[in-house]
């Protein structure tokens, strides 16, 4: 675990979303995005606590998942 990084989940508790996806591929994609966010934060100067937001939402008729981090770039 990374005690110097705060992770927030946004939109996951508001309602249930259903999609026909391969859960293994989705899990791997999310794992990769979160690891990239951790790597980005760890490459910064470390003067502030790192933050990662994983956001689930809906725009018009499409669902999205966003991973936003406080790292550089």
């Amino acid at each position: 675990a990374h005690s110097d990084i705060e992770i927030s989940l946004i939109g996951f508790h508001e309602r249930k979303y259903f999609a026909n996806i391969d859960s293994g591929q989705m899990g791997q994609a999310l794992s990769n995005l979160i690891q990239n966010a951790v790597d980005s934060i760890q490459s910064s100067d470390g003067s502030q606590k790192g933050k990662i937001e994983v956001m689930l939402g809906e725009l018009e008729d499409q669902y999205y998942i966003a991973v936003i981090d406080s790292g550089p770039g």
Side-chain angles (χ1 to χ4, degrees):
H2 302 278
S3 61
D4 56 333
I5 299 175
E6 175 186 330
I7 299 179
S8 301
L9 301 176
I10 301 168
F12 286 85
H13 304 294
E14 295 172 9
R15 62 175 277 214
K16 291 185 179 183
Y17 293 89
F18 296 94
N20 186 16
I21 60 170
D22 182 310
S23 62
Q25 288 182 349
M26 180 58 73
Q28 186 63 52
L30 279 173
S31 177
N32 290 346
L33 288 170
I34 292 169
Q35 185 59 55
N36 289 348
V38 168
D39 293 345
S40 177
I41 290 168
Q42 289 180 336
S43 72
S44 67
D45 64 10
S47 62
Q48 296 182 353
K49 184 172 183 166
K51 294 181 182 178
I52 298 174
E53 294 180 344
V54 182
M55 184 182 311
L56 175 63
E58 184 177 0
L59 183 62
E60 296 179 9
D61 63 344
Q62 296 184 7
Y63 302 130
Y64 67 88
I65 298 174
V67 178
I68 304 161
D69 65 72
S70 63

